[in-house]
Amino acid sequence: MPKLQNIIVLRTFAIIAVVLYHCYCPWLEAWNWYKCEYRSLYSFIFETVLVGRMPLFVCVSGYLFSHLYLDRGKYHEFGNFLQNKIKRLLVPCMLFTGLMCLILQLNYVENIVGYGFHLWFLKMLFFCFMTTWLCAKYIHQIKLDIIAICISIIMMFISMPKFLGIGQYFKYYYRRDSRDNGDDAR
């Protein structure tokens, strides 16, 4: 099987950018539970040079799903697809959110149902994959493009709740806000 070299480079950059951002979050005033002296140089670097880290990460994930679905014929059975995404996205989210709740002595249910700390993106990706699978299976390409454009326009004017990661799902699936109250760091 041929490797997608360009995507591997983009994915590597996105992962490194996300990890670097989280390593320096205490100095960016992005985490309110750990205080460090604010560093304007770090803020400049991470808010300008690495500004597209999460949208790039989501775009690469979507591209790889599309490649596997269309080019390699994977994931055509919903049951297997759902099982794979639960195992790879929701189970790690639940386990590591539980670990964070244990360490910080916080309510597990509130964090799983709500934001979920640094693994909020796993719930968001889960909903993105489910939506994309349904659209790929049941909507023809031209109709899908028109629907995506219409939904994108509508979602620019609606603020969604953070319940089960739905807010982040709409933020990254349909639109990209400029800074959303430091959500990248929670």
Side-chain angles (χ1 to χ4, degrees), residues 45-94:
I45 291 170
F46 289 108
E47 296 304 324
T48 56
V49 176
L50 302 176
V51 71
R53 63 194 170 272
M54 285 311 293
L56 178 60
F57 192 80
V58 173
C59 181
V60 167
S61 295
Y63 180 85
L64 290 173
F65 166 76
S66 175
H67 173 71
L68 290 172
Y69 185 84
L70 297 173
D71 299 336
R72 295 207 180 154
K74 282 188 78 173
Y75 301 134
H76 286 282
E77 292 182 31
F78 185 72
N80 292 337
F81 176 69
L82 180 64
Q83 182 180 10
N84 176 277
K85 295 308 168 194
I86 287 172
K87 181 176 75 174
R88 295 188 66 179
L89 298 172
L90 295 184
V91 170
C93 180
M94 290 178 188

Coordinates of all heavy atoms in Angstrom, one line a residue, residues 45-94:
I45 N 4.4 33.4 19.4 CA 4.8 32.2 18.6 C 3.6 31.3 18.4 O 3.3 30.9 17.3 CB 5.9 31.4 19.3 CG1 7.2 32.3 19.2 CG2 6.1 30.1 18.6 CD1 8.4 31.7 20.0
F46 N 2.9 31.0 19.5 CA 1.8 30.0 19.4 C 0.5 30.5 18.8 O -0.3 29.8 18.3 CB 1.5 29.3 20.8 CG 2.7 28.4 21.1 CD1 3.5 28.8 22.1 CD2 2.9 27.2 20.5 CE1 4.6 28.0 22.5 CE2 4.0 26.4 20.8 CZ 4.8 26.8 21.8
E47 N 0.3 31.8 18.9 CA -0.9 32.4 18.3 C -0.7 32.8 16.9 O -1.7 33.1 16.2 CB -1.4 33.5 19.2 CG -1.8 33.1 20.6 CD -2.9 32.0 20.6 OE1 -3.8 32.0 19.7 OE2 -2.9 31.2 21.5
T48 N 0.5 32.9 16.4 CA 0.7 33.3 15.0 C 1.3 32.2 14.2 O 0.7 31.8 13.1 CB 1.6 34.6 14.9 OG1 2.8 34.3 15.6 CG2 0.9 35.8 15.5
V49 N 2.4 31.6 14.6 CA 3.0 30.6 13.8 C 2.2 29.3 13.8 O 2.1 28.6 12.8 CB 4.5 30.3 14.4 CG1 5.1 29.2 13.6 CG2 5.3 31.6 14.3
L50 N 1.7 28.9 14.9 CA 1.0 27.7 15.1 C -0.5 27.8 15.2 O -1.2 27.0 15.7 CB 1.5 26.9 16.3 CG 3.0 26.6 16.2 CD1 3.4 25.9 17.5 CD2 3.4 25.8 15.0
V51 N -1.1 28.9 14.6 CA -2.5 29.2 14.8 C -3.4 28.1 14.2 O -4.5 27.9 14.7 CB -2.8 30.6 14.2 CG1 -2.7 30.6 12.7 CG2 -4.2 31.1 14.7
G52 N -3.0 27.4 13.2 CA -3.9 26.5 12.5 C -3.7 25.0 13.0 O -4.1 24.1 12.3
R53 N -3.2 24.8 14.2 CA -2.8 23.5 14.6 C -4.0 22.5 14.7 O -4.0 21.4 14.2 CB -2.1 23.5 15.9 CG -2.9 24.1 17.1 CD -2.0 24.5 18.3 NE -2.8 25.2 19.2 CZ -3.0 26.6 19.2 NH1 -2.3 27.3 18.3 NH2 -3.7 27.2 20.0
M54 N -5.1 23.0 15.3 CA -6.3 22.1 15.4 C -7.1 21.9 14.1 O -7.4 20.8 13.7 CB -7.2 22.5 16.6 CG -6.6 22.1 17.9 SD -6.0 20.4 18.1 CE -7.5 19.5 17.9
P55 N -7.3 23.0 13.4 CA -8.0 22.8 12.1 C -7.2 21.9 11.1 O -7.7 21.1 10.4 CB -8.1 24.3 11.5 CG -8.1 25.1 12.7 CD -7.2 24.5 13.7
L56 N -5.8 22.0 11.2 CA -5.0 21.2 10.3 C -5.1 19.7 10.8 O -5.3 18.8 10.0 CB -3.5 21.6 10.4 CG -2.6 20.7 9.6 CD1 -2.9 20.7 8.1 CD2 -1.1 21.2 9.8
F57 N -5.1 19.5 12.1 CA -5.3 18.2 12.6 C -6.6 17.5 12.2 O -6.7 16.4 11.8 CB -5.2 18.2 14.2 CG -5.0 16.9 14.8 CD1 -3.8 16.3 14.9 CD2 -6.1 16.3 15.4 CE1 -3.7 15.1 15.5 CE2 -6.0 15.1 16.1 CZ -4.8 14.5 16.1
V58 N -7.7 18.3 12.3 CA -9.0 17.8 11.9 C -9.1 17.6 10.4 O -9.6 16.6 9.9 CB -10.1 18.8 12.3 CG1 -11.5 18.4 11.8 CG2 -10.1 18.9 13.9
C59 N -8.5 18.5 9.6 CA -8.5 18.4 8.1 C -7.7 17.1 7.7 O -8.2 16.3 6.9 CB -7.8 19.6 7.5 SG -7.8 19.6 5.7
V60 N -6.6 16.8 8.3 CA -5.8 15.6 8.0 C -6.6 14.4 8.4 O -6.7 13.4 7.6 CB -4.4 15.6 8.7 CG1 -3.8 14.3 8.7 CG2 -3.5 16.7 8.1
S61 N -7.3 14.4 9.5 CA -8.1 13.3 10.0 C -9.2 13.0 9.0 O -9.5 11.9 8.6 CB -8.7 13.5 11.3 OG -7.7 13.6 12.3
G62 N -9.9 14.1 8.5 CA -10.9 13.9 7.5 C -10.4 13.4 6.2 O -11.0 12.6 5.5
Y63 N -9.2 13.9 5.8 CA -8.7 13.5 4.5 C -8.3 12.0 4.6 O -8.6 11.2 3.7 CB -7.4 14.3 4.2 CG -6.8 13.8 2.9 CD1 -7.2 14.3 1.7 CD2 -5.8 12.9 2.9 CE1 -6.7 13.9 0.5 CE2 -5.2 12.4 1.7 CZ -5.7 13.0 0.5 OH -5.1 12.5 -0.7
L64 N -7.7 11.5 5.7 CA -7.4 10.1 5.8 C -8.6 9.3 5.9 O -8.6 8.2 5.3 CB -6.5 9.9 7.1 CG -5.1 10.5 7.0 CD1 -4.4 10.4 8.3 CD2 -4.3 9.8 5.9
F65 N -9.7 9.7 6.5 CA -10.9 9.0 6.5 C -11.5 8.8 5.1 O -11.8 7.8 4.6 CB -12.0 9.6 7.4 CG -13.4 9.1 7.1 CD1 -13.7 7.8 7.6 CD2 -14.3 9.8 6.3 CE1 -15.0 7.3 7.4 CE2 -15.6 9.3 6.1 CZ -15.9 8.0 6.6
S66 N -11.5 10.0 4.3 CA -11.9 10.0 3.0 C -11.1 9.0 2.1 O -11.6 8.2 1.3 CB -11.8 11.4 2.4 OG -12.2 11.4 1.0
H67 N -9.8 9.0 2.3 CA -8.9 8.1 1.6 C -9.2 6.7 1.9 O -9.3 5.8 0.9 CB -7.4 8.4 1.9 CG -6.5 7.5 1.3 ND1 -6.2 7.4 0.0 CD2 -5.7 6.5 1.9 CE1 -5.3 6.5 -0.3 NE2 -5.0 5.9 0.9
L68 N -9.4 6.4 3.1 CA -9.7 5.0 3.5 C -11.1 4.5 3.0 O -11.2 3.4 2.5 CB -9.6 4.8 5.0 CG -8.2 4.9 5.6 CD1 -8.3 4.9 7.1 CD2 -7.4 3.7 5.1
Y69 N -12.0 5.5 3.1 CA -13.4 5.1 2.7 C -13.5 5.0 1.1 O -14.1 4.0 0.6 CB -14.4 6.2 3.2 CG -15.8 5.9 2.9 CD1 -16.5 5.1 3.8 CD2 -16.5 6.4 1.8 CE1 -17.9 4.8 3.6 CE2 -17.8 6.2 1.6 CZ -18.5 5.3 2.5 OH -19.8 5.1 2.2
L70 N -13.0 6.0 0.4 CA -13.2 6.0 -1.0 C -12.2 5.2 -1.8 O -12.5 4.5 -2.7 CB -13.2 7.5 -1.5 CG -14.3 8.4 -1.0 CD1 -14.0 9.8 -1.4 CD2 -15.6 7.9 -1.5
D71 N -10.9 5.4 -1.4 CA -9.8 4.8 -2.2 C -9.5 3.3 -1.8 O -9.1 2.5 -2.7 CB -8.5 5.6 -2.1 CG -8.7 7.0 -2.7 OD1 -9.6 7.2 -3.5 OD2 -8.0 7.9 -2.2
R72 N -9.7 3.0 -0.6 CA -9.3 1.7 -0.1 C -10.5 0.8 0.3 O -10.4 -0.3 0.7 CB -8.4 1.8 1.1 CG -7.0 2.4 0.7 CD -5.9 2.0 1.5 NE -4.7 2.6 1.1 CZ -3.7 2.9 1.8 NH1 -3.8 2.5 3.1 NH2 -2.6 3.4 1.4
G73 N -11.7 1.4 0.2 CA -12.9 0.6 0.5 C -13.1 0.2 1.9 O -13.9 -0.8 2.2
K74 N -12.6 0.9 2.8 CA -12.8 0.6 4.3 C -14.0 1.3 4.8 O -14.5 2.3 4.2 CB -11.6 1.0 5.1 CG -10.4 0.1 5.0 CD -9.3 0.4 6.0 CE -9.7 -0.1 7.3 NZ -8.7 0.1 8.3
Y75 N -14.5 0.8 5.9 CA -15.5 1.4 6.7 C -16.9 1.5 6.0 O -17.7 2.3 6.3 CB -15.2 2.9 7.1 CG -13.9 3.0 7.9 CD1 -13.0 4.0 7.6 CD2 -13.7 2.2 9.0 CE1 -11.8 4.1 8.4 CE2 -12.5 2.3 9.8 CZ -11.6 3.3 9.4 OH -10.5 3.4 10.2
H76 N -17.2 0.6 5.1 CA -18.5 0.6 4.4 C -19.6 0.0 5.2 O -20.8 0.3 5.0 CB -18.4 0.0 3.0 CG -17.7 0.9 2.0 ND1 -18.3 2.0 1.4 CD2 -16.4 0.9 1.6 CE1 -17.4 2.6 0.7 NE2 -16.3 2.0 0.7
E77 N -19.2 -0.7 6.3 CA -20.2 -1.3 7.2 C -20.2 -0.4 8.4 O -19.2 -0.3 9.1 CB -19.9 -2.7 7.6 CG -20.0 -3.7 6.4 CD -19.7 -5.1 6.9 OE1 -20.0 -5.4 8.1 OE2 -19.2 -5.9 6.0
F78 N -21.4 0.1 8.8 CA -21.5 1.1 9.9 C -21.1 0.5 11.2 O -20.5 1.1 12.0 CB -22.9 1.7 9.9 CG -23.0 2.8 11.0 CD1 -22.4 4.0 10.8 CD2 -23.7 2.5 12.2 CE1 -22.5 5.0 11.8 CE2 -23.8 3.5 13.1 CZ -23.2 4.7 12.9
G79 N -21.5 -0.8 11.4 CA -21.2 -1.4 12.7 C -19.8 -1.5 13.0 O -19.3 -1.2 14.1
N80 N -19.0 -1.9 12.0 CA -17.5 -2.0 12.2 C -16.9 -0.6 12.3 O -16.0 -0.4 13.1 CB -16.9 -2.7 11.0 CG -17.3 -4.2 10.9 OD1 -17.6 -4.8 11.9 ND2 -17.2 -4.8 9.7
F81 N -17.4 0.3 11.5 CA -16.9 1.7 11.6 C -17.2 2.3 13.0 O -16.3 2.9 13.6 CB -17.6 2.5 10.5 CG -17.2 4.0 10.6 CD1 -16.0 4.4 10.3 CD2 -18.2 4.9 10.9 CE1 -15.7 5.8 10.3 CE2 -17.9 6.3 11.0 CZ -16.6 6.7 10.7
L82 N -18.4 2.1 13.5 CA -18.8 2.6 14.8 C -17.9 2.0 15.9 O -17.4 2.7 16.8 CB -20.3 2.4 15.1 CG -20.8 2.9 16.4 CD1 -20.7 4.4 16.5 CD2 -22.2 2.4 16.6
Q83 N -17.7 0.7 15.8 CA -16.9 0.0 16.8 C -15.5 0.5 16.8 O -14.9 0.7 17.9 CB -17.0 -1.5 16.5 CG -16.2 -2.3 17.5 CD -16.3 -3.8 17.2 OE1 -16.7 -4.2 16.1 NE2 -15.8 -4.6 18.1
N84 N -14.9 0.7 15.6 CA -13.6 1.2 15.5 C -13.4 2.6 16.1 O -12.5 2.9 16.9 CB -13.2 1.3 14.0 CG -11.8 1.9 13.8 OD1 -11.7 3.1 13.7 ND2 -10.8 1.0 13.7
K85 N -14.4 3.5 15.9 CA -14.3 4.9 16.4 C -14.6 4.9 17.9 O -14.0 5.8 18.6 CB -15.3 5.8 15.6 CG -14.9 6.0 14.1 CD -13.4 6.4 14.0 CE -12.9 6.3 12.6 NZ -11.5 6.3 12.4
I86 N -15.4 4.1 18.4 CA -15.6 4.0 19.8 C -14.3 3.6 20.5 O -13.9 4.2 21.5 CB -16.8 3.1 20.2 CG1 -18.1 3.8 19.8 CG2 -16.8 2.8 21.7 CD1 -19.3 2.9 20.0
K87 N -13.7 2.6 20.0 CA -12.5 2.0 20.5 C -11.3 3.0 20.4 O -10.5 3.1 21.4 CB -12.1 0.7 19.8 CG -10.9 0.0 20.4 CD -10.6 -1.3 19.7 CE -10.1 -1.1 18.3 NZ -9.6 -2.2 17.6
R88 N -11.2 3.7 19.3 CA -10.1 4.6 19.1 C -10.2 6.0 19.6 O -9.3 6.7 19.8 CB -9.7 4.6 17.6 CG -9.3 3.2 17.1 CD -8.7 3.3 15.8 NE -7.5 4.1 15.8 CZ -6.8 4.3 14.7 NH1 -7.1 3.8 13.6 NH2 -5.7 5.1 14.8
L89 N -11.5 6.4 19.8 CA -11.7 7.8 20.2 C -12.4 7.9 21.6 O -11.9 8.6 22.5 CB -12.6 8.6 19.2 CG -12.0 8.7 17.8 CD1 -12.9 9.3 16.8 CD2 -10.7 9.5 17.8
L90 N -13.6 7.3 21.7 CA -14.3 7.5 23.0 C -13.7 6.8 24.2 O -13.7 7.3 25.3 CB -15.8 7.1 22.8 CG -16.6 7.9 21.8 CD1 -18.0 7.5 21.7 CD2 -16.5 9.4 22.1
V91 N -13.2 5.5 24.0 CA -12.6 4.8 25.1 C -11.4 5.6 25.7 O -11.3 5.8 26.9 CB -12.3 3.4 24.8 CG1 -11.5 2.7 25.8 CG2 -13.6 2.6 24.5
P92 N -10.4 6.0 24.9 CA -9.3 6.8 25.4 C -9.8 8.1 26.1 O -9.3 8.5 27.1 CB -8.4 7.1 24.2 CG -8.8 6.0 23.2 CD -10.2 5.7 23.4
C93 N -10.8 8.7 25.5 CA -11.3 10.0 26.1 C -11.9 9.7 27.5 O -11.6 10.4 28.4 CB -12.4 10.5 25.2 SG -13.1 12.1 25.8
M94 N -12.6 8.6 27.6 CA -13.2 8.3 28.9 C -12.2 7.9 29.9 O -12.2 8.3 31.1 CB -14.3 7.2 28.8 CG -15.5 7.7 28.1 SD -16.6 6.3 27.9 CE -17.9 7.0 26.8

